[in-house]
Amino acid sequence: MTPTGFQDAVLAGLAPDGGLIVPAEWPDFSDRLKDWMPLPYDELAIEIMRPFVDLPDDALERLVRESYATFRHPEVAPVAPAGDRFILELFHGPTLAFKDIALQFLGRVFEYILEQRDADINVLAATSGDTGSAAIYGLRRKPRVRIFVLHPHGRVSPLQERQMTAVIDDRVFNVALEGTFDDCQRIMKSIFGDTAFKERYRLGAVNSVNWARVLAQMVYYFFAAFRVMERTGGDAVQFSVPTGNFGDILAGYYAARMGLPVRKLILATNENDILARFFQTGVYERGEVHATLSPSMDIQIASNFERYLFDCAGRDAGRLNGWMDAFARESRLDLSDMNRSDLLVAGRGDTSATLDTIRRVGEEAGMVLDPHTAVGVHVGDALRDPEVPLICLATAHPAKFPDAIQQATGRTVTHPILEALNDAETRQEILPAEEADVRSYLEAHIGN
Ligand SMILES: *Cc1c(COP(=O)(O)O)cnc(C)c1O
């Protein structure tokens, strides 16, 4: 393993050997928590990020302040009580999903690094929905960045499609492939695998394994724990996290590692429950991908999970490689003998649990949950430790998923940002789901 600085890690996305990048050392923040409690969101973010970055202080401060000034709520990520739990609202960013918290920051970090190096980058991303718009809004209007987003034509929700294709900027390219999300992802990975092409066209990635995204996500665990401790006078909390790629909950696991008093981290999946099964049995085994009401969690292989397994392997990269190779060969990895931390517990919520929870929390607390959040609340309610407050992460605004809300409650939810898209002009390029077509498209729009 070769050491990498923060800036190189952010630009590269992956380590040169194809593995994921993790900090060499973890700071212990336990004795800072009291001082940090009164800080507003952006000031707290600066304190938490500082030990991890090789950016000058004034640059870090400016990037963080600008990133969170784009949020529509003054607290950025406010915490609201709902019945006997708390809801952490992570959806006040430009695209109404929690991915904005990381991608608003990542876009600005990219811009800063490219300025310093007098370089430019062409970001290639594949999306099944939320990531595409959050990446576009994080990277648009950055003179040194072009962004190409592949989505499966006609297979993202009409709203999600409009959120992406209504951005008509010179350096934003929406490419709809006539295939599935898996085709988009396969083509993207194959293009990144061609190192010569990747270098020639200066391709970069913003997917959920990018270290800057995990770093930015650690902040709201601290921020929410502080808000709830202030209200309840307690000295510990627990979180429930609706999970797909394991990026969000990984940040919570790291926050706990650094001294945040987290009693339990409750991992919630929908029917795509490979991770829930792992935490229940110790066996990591691939299943079929099911389409659900919470599409951003319709994932079988969670790309960030390897970072957690690295810790389980005692930070022994050789041992981890052995596990990952075995899993790639057999689609199954049995770690039931290993000591798993009792911090993480997991469960699943299916379609009927999702709809019931939306209905129930609506009636009990007058709050409309989006279907991803509802999965988290369902599992959180079932697995919580009764002694400490439960904070459920709300990962999207309900108006992004109006069909599920309609099905659960018979009501329509809207948001002015989404309504404004109804008659917006849109632009996208429709291509066959063939790698050669995507390559030619990139060549034609990047130049040398
Ligand atoms: C991406 C996403 C998730 C899953 O987050 P991971 O980091 O992939 O676990 C959950 N809910 C919503 C709304 C999302 O967009």
Side-chain angles (χ1 to χ4, degrees):
M1 289 186 292
T2 358
T4 307
F6 173 78
Q7 296 190 30
D8 290 323
V10 171
L11 277 195
L14 288 178
D17 65 0
L20 305 192
I21 295 166
V22 290
E25 281 166 40
W26 287 99
D28 179 359
F29 290 147
S30 322
D31 55 1
R32 314 283 308 272
L33 301 178
K34 219 186 208 103
D35 293 341
W36 287 354
M37 200 161 302
L39 296 181
Y41 192 93
D42 50 359
E43 300 301 321
L44 178 64
I46 292 162
E47 294 300 323
I48 291 173
M49 291 178 179
R50 187 177 282 129
F52 294 98
V53 303
D54 53 8
L55 301 167
D57 255 357
D58 58 337
L60 174 67
E61 287 169 19
R62 179 175 58 79
L63 298 175
V64 166
R65 291 209 178 96
E66 287 175 6
S67 299
Y68 299 111
T70 65
F71 281 59
R72 292 176 314 280
H73 195 286
E75 282 187 71
V76 180
V79 174
D84 59 353
R85 45 184 118 61
F86 293 91
I87 303 289
L88 167 57
E89 297 179 359
L90 299 173
F91 51 69
H92 294 283
T95 72
L96 311 177
F98 93 99
K99 292 184 172 70
D100 288 325
I101 296 207
L103 284 160
Q104 286 295 313
F105 177 66
L106 179 60
R108 286 174 174 81
V109 172
F110 265 167
E111 182 183 47
Y112 173 83
I113 301 172
L114 295 166
E115 284 283 321
Q116 298 298 307
R117 301 184 178 189
D118 190 21
D120 67 330
I121 200 168
N122 300 296
V123 167
L124 177 62
T127 187
S128 59
D130 292 336
T131 306
S133 53
I136 289 170
Y137 277 84
L139 297 171
R140 68 187 294 198
R141 300 184 184 139
K142 309 269 183 278
R144 293 169 181 272
V145 182
R146 288 190 194 87
I147 173 156
F148 297 84
V149 176
L150 311 177
H151 74 264
H153 186 225
R155 292 179 197 238
V156 300
S157 84
L159 255 180
Q160 288 177 323
E161 180 180 317
R162 279 202 299 277
Q163 278 191 293
M164 297 189 280
T165 58
V167 178
I168 309 217
D169 287 7
D170 288 349
R171 290 179 302 279
V172 172
F173 303 88
N174 278 291
V175 180
L177 295 186
E178 292 167 320
T180 62
F181 170 63
D182 286 338
D183 293 320
C184 298
Q185 191 140 28
R186 176 178 50 76
I187 290 170
M188 176 189 78
K189 284 188 176 160
S190 175
I191 291 175
F192 278 127
D194 179 346
T195 319
F197 188 88
K198 186 177 167 207
E199 273 167 22
R200 174 152 189 219
Y201 292 103
R202 305 173 302 286
L203 299 185
V206 294
N207 45 23
S208 80
V209 299
N210 194 300
W211 168 244
R213 288 184 60 177
V214 180
L215 178 64
Q217 288 163 194
M218 297 190 312
V219 177
Y220 51 74
Y221 285 90
F222 287 85
F223 186 76
F226 293 159
R227 298 294 75 75
V228 168
M229 289 175 187
E230 275 168 356
R231 266 174 198 255
T232 62
D235 55 8
V237 293
Q238 61 193 326
F239 292 96
S240 170
V241 189
T243 295
N245 260 322
F246 203 79
D248 192 354
I249 196 164
L250 178 75
Y253 165 73
Y254 286 156
R257 255 196 93 130
M258 292 185 292
L260 188 68
V262 180
R263 183 72 58 85
K264 269 190 183 188
L265 265 178
I266 301 167
L267 181 154
T269 70
N270 59 26
E271 286 92 332
N272 298 286
D273 62 352
I274 175 172
L275 289 170
R277 284 184 283 115
F278 172 79
F279 284 99
Q280 287 158 2
T281 65
V283 178
Y284 188 53
E285 184 167 22
R286 193 197 291 259
E288 297 273 295
V289 181
H290 303 275
T292 72
L293 293 177
S294 41
S296 298
M297 292 152 60
D298 290 351
I299 288 166
Q300 281 289 335
I301 300 308
S303 50
N304 269 294
F305 188 54
E306 208 176 316
R307 284 191 167 116
Y308 174 74
L309 289 178
F310 181 56
D311 280 8
C312 299
R315 294 177 72 88
D316 176 341
R319 190 159 175 227
L320 176 64
N321 274 338
W323 290 352
M324 299 317 291
D325 289 346
F327 181 72
R329 269 194 320 271
E330 291 155 26
S331 294
R332 185 171 196 278
L333 180 66
D334 187 343
L335 300 178
S336 52
D337 288 343
M338 189 190 67
N339 276 341
R340 276 160 284 136
S341 82
D342 43 13
L343 174 66
L344 272 142
V345 293
R348 72 176 224 165
D350 60 14
T351 301
S352 80
T354 306
L355 293 171
D356 279 350
T357 307
I358 296 174
R359 207 175 296 125
R360 185 165 53 85
V361 176
E363 285 164 8
E364 282 170 16
M367 183 183 282
V368 186
L369 304 178
D370 101 280
H372 304 76
T373 306
V375 171
V377 169
H378 168 77
V379 178
D381 285 351
L383 299 183
R384 67 184 294 178
D385 178 333
E387 285 170 10
V388 290
L390 170 66
I391 304 172
C392 296
L393 274 58
T395 49
H397 190 284
K400 281 195 95 164
F401 301 94
D403 296 348
I405 308 303
Q406 175 78 40
Q407 216 179 316
T409 66
R411 300 221 318 261
T412 15
V413 271
T414 55
H415 191 286
I417 289 197
L418 300 175
E419 283 180 332
L421 296 174
N422 282 336
D423 25 55
E425 187 192 343
T426 62
R427 185 175 76 188
Q428 64 181 321
E429 180 83 15
I430 301 165
L431 294 181
E434 296 294 339
E435 184 175 338
D437 292 279
V438 176
R439 280 179 185 248
S440 322
Y441 185 83
L442 292 173
E443 284 164 356
H445 292 87
I446 294 174
N448 280 306

